[in-house]
């Protein structure tokens, strides 16, 4: 029996495992799209359905985006389905720049300005984009100040993650680190307590110490926390389960621990429909452009010019040379006169300018005195 060549070709790894093959720079869904447009995130292109024009809020956002030079296209629902790989796009897809991340030091410095004990999330081996997006959404909603992601063994900040996060990635700072365990060591040196979620934890959720600066570490969906990561945790917390289900989803367990931190913290004293206290976000450092950080000498003010002269003494060498020139010429003329080669009254003393000229000077005309040429033999 003959086999088609296309059927004999092995499927790519992404197709065999059913992984998300949509581009990482796409965001879809109304909540993520609105958060990206209102947050000022750079947008390259927008695809939307004609029905979105009947939404007053999106109509204004689309007009502003089009006025700023963004390409806005009205397409069919089928076209959006092709772009998102069959995801629930809700009629809008954005092509945006990659989600911005920062280094751990900047996140730590920013958390010092929040005015309360910082709360950070650290993820160890979360490879499912839906779990990552759900954790980011719960963390931002319940008052976390940032998230730490390892560069390897972790899902990226793709469109699927942004869709599940429902706009949380626009407000939650994310730090990318090379080694998660080294990052935990750095956080412990800064005074953070590291709490890991593990089914075999020796401390129950009710007994856990959740005071002070805190880092909550969540492990992978199948293996949980790595052995080395567990050693860096100050305590391993388990959630008691009553039913026959042996474990909880990683994002659900993380949300329960985040809620417990909030219940003991900012939720105390809230009754009925009282509004929650406003979350103060970390003040992240803004990189200063090189032109502003290092001013040019051409733009220096008078005070700066004095400073520049003090560090560049070679700038005064032309003035010193011009001051010493008349004295040297006088010595040469006196020697020539003593030898009888020239007469003192036949040579005019050169006129020396008080300040050297910055431009090229014309050459002096040769002397018309006949004694000059007859007395000196070249």
């Amino acid at each position: 029996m003959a086999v088609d060549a296309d059927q004999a070709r092995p499927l790519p790894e992404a197709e065999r495992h059913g992984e998300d093959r949509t581009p990482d720079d796409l965001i879809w869904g109304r909540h993520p799209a609105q958060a990206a447009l209102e947050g000022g995130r750079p947008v390259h292109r927008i695809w939307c359905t004609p029905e979105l024009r009947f939404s007053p809020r999106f109509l204004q956002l689309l007009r502003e985006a089009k006025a700023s030079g963004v390409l806005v296209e009205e397409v069919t629902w089928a076209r959006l389905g092709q772009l998102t790989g069959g995801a629930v796009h809700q009629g809008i897809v954005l092509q945006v720049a990659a989600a911005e991340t920062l280094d751990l030091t900047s996140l730590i410095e920013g958390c010092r300005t929040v005015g309360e004990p910082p709360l950070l999330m650290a993820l160890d081996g979360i490879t499912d984009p839906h779990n990552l997006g759900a954790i980011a959404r719960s963390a931002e909603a319940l008052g976390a100040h940032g998230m730490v992601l390892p560069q390897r063994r972790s899902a990226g900040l793709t469109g699927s993650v942004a869709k599940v996060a429902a706009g949380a990635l626009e407000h939650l700072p994310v730090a990318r680190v090379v080694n998660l365990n080294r990052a935990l060591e750095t956080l412990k040196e800064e005074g953070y307590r590291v709490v890991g979620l593990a089914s075999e934890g020796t401390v129950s959720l009710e007994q856990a110490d959740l005071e002070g600066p805190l880092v909550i570490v969540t492990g992978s969906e199948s293996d949980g926390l790595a052995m080395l990561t567990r050693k860096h945790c100050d305590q391993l917390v388990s959630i008691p389960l009553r039913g026959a289900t042996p474990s909880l989803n990683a994002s659900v367990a993380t949300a329960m621990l985040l809620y417990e931190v909030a219940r003991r913290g900012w939720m105390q004293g809230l009754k009925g429909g009282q509004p929650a206290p406003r979350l103060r976000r970390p003040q992240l450092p803004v990189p200063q452009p090189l032109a502003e950080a290092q001013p040019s000498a051409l733009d220096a003010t008078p005070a700066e010019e004095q400073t520049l002269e003090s560090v560049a003494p070679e700038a005064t060498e032309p003035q010193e040379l011009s001051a010493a020139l008349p004295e040297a010429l006088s010595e040469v003329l006196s020697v020539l006169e003593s030898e009888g080669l020239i007469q003192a009254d036949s040579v005019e003393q050169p006129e020396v300018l008080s300040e050297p000229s910055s431009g090229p000077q014309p050459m002096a005309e040769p002397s018309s005195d006949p004694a000059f040429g007859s007395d000196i033999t070249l």
Side-chain angles (χ1 to χ4, degrees):
M1 178 178 179
V3 180
D4 192 353
D6 294 336
Q7 297 178 0
R9 179 181 57 87
L11 292 175
E13 184 178 357
E15 295 184 16
R16 292 200 306 266
H17 297 284
E19 297 176 0
D20 184 15
R21 301 185 303 276
T22 55
D24 294 346
D25 59 348
L26 294 184
I27 287 181
W28 55 84
R30 296 199 176 189
H31 287 294
Q34 182 176 350
L37 292 173
E38 292 178 345
R41 189 167 175 178
V43 179
H44 303 301
R45 195 171 184 177
I46 299 177
W47 297 272
C48 63
T49 58
E51 293 84 354
L52 212 62
R53 290 182 296 177
F54 296 97
S55 173
R57 182 56 187 160
F58 271 99
L59 180 60
Q60 181 63 24
L61 290 174
L62 293 176
R63 286 178 176 174
E64 294 175 357
K66 191 172 183 179
S68 62
V70 179
L71 179 61
V72 181
E73 292 185 37
E74 289 188 356
V75 296
T76 62
W77 285 79
R79 174 56 178 159
L80 295 182
Q82 293 176 353
L83 292 173
T84 59
V88 183
H89 50 75
Q90 297 178 322
I92 185 170
V93 177
L94 272 62
Q95 185 182 31
V96 298
E100 296 183 359
T101 58
L102 61 155
D103 57 281
L104 183 62
T105 302
S106 300
L107 181 59
I108 293 175
E109 292 292 335
C111 288
R112 291 175 180 172
T113 64
V114 297
E116 60 182 1
L119 174 61
L120 299 179
M121 287 297 310
L123 305 185
D124 179 27
I126 298 294
T127 58
D128 184 6
H130 295 82
N131 272 336
L132 178 56
I135 292 174
R137 182 174 185 175
S138 300
E140 200 283 327
L142 292 173
H145 300 96
M147 180 181 294
V148 180
L149 290 180
Q151 293 182 357
R152 293 178 295 179
R153 297 179 57 250
S154 176
L157 300 179
T158 62
S160 298
V161 175
K163 174 64 175 65
V164 178
L169 292 179
E170 305 298 327
H171 309 287
L172 184 68
V174 179
R176 280 282 194 179
V177 296
V178 177
N179 191 304
L180 180 61
N181 294 303
R182 292 179 184 174
L184 295 179
E185 292 178 359
T186 303
L187 290 169
K188 293 176 71 172
E189 293 175 357
E190 294 291 333
Y192 285 79
R193 179 182 291 106
V194 180
V195 176
L197 267 172
S199 57
E200 64 277 7
T202 57
V203 180
S204 65
L205 183 59
E206 184 179 357
Q207 299 172 340
D209 185 4
L210 305 177
E211 299 294 332
L214 196 65
V215 180
I216 298 176
V217 188
T218 302
S220 65
E221 299 84 353
S222 56
D223 301 329
L225 295 177
M227 183 62 65
L228 189 57
T229 305
R230 297 182 187 183
K231 295 181 179 179
H232 286 86
C233 295
D234 296 315
Q235 55 182 344
L236 294 176
V237 177
S238 62
I239 300 176
L241 301 177
R242 190 178 184 182
T245 304
S247 62
L248 294 174
N249 179 271
S251 60
V252 174
T254 304
M256 293 181 65
L257 181 52
L258 287 169
Y259 178 82
E260 181 66 18
V261 176
R263 187 186 67 83
R264 300 184 189 182
W266 59 266
M267 282 188 182
Q268 290 185 355
L270 291 181
K271 297 180 180 179
Q274 294 180 353
R278 185 176 180 181
L279 175 63
R280 185 175 178 182
R281 306 188 185 279
Q283 298 295 326
L284 302 177
V286 178
Q288 187 178 12
L290 183 60
E292 298 181 3
Q294 300 178 355
S296 173
L298 298 177
D299 300 331
T301 60
E304 294 172 340
E305 291 175 357
Q306 184 178 1
T307 305
L308 292 173
E309 291 176 0
S310 63
V311 299
E314 63 273 9
T316 60
E317 290 181 359
Q319 288 83 350
E320 295 177 358
L321 181 61
S322 62
L325 185 59
E327 184 179 355
L329 290 176
S330 299
E331 294 179 359
V332 173
L333 293 175
S334 61
V335 172
L336 295 176
E337 183 181 0
S338 62
E339 297 292 336
L341 299 177
I342 62 173
Q343 298 180 359
D345 55 356
S346 64
V347 179
E348 296 182 358
Q349 296 291 336
E351 181 180 359
V352 181
L353 299 177
S354 58
E355 296 182 0
S357 176
S358 59
Q361 299 295 326
M363 298 180 61
E365 298 180 359
S367 175
S368 58
D369 192 348
F372 184 84
S374 59
D375 293 342
I376 300 180
T377 303
L378 299 180

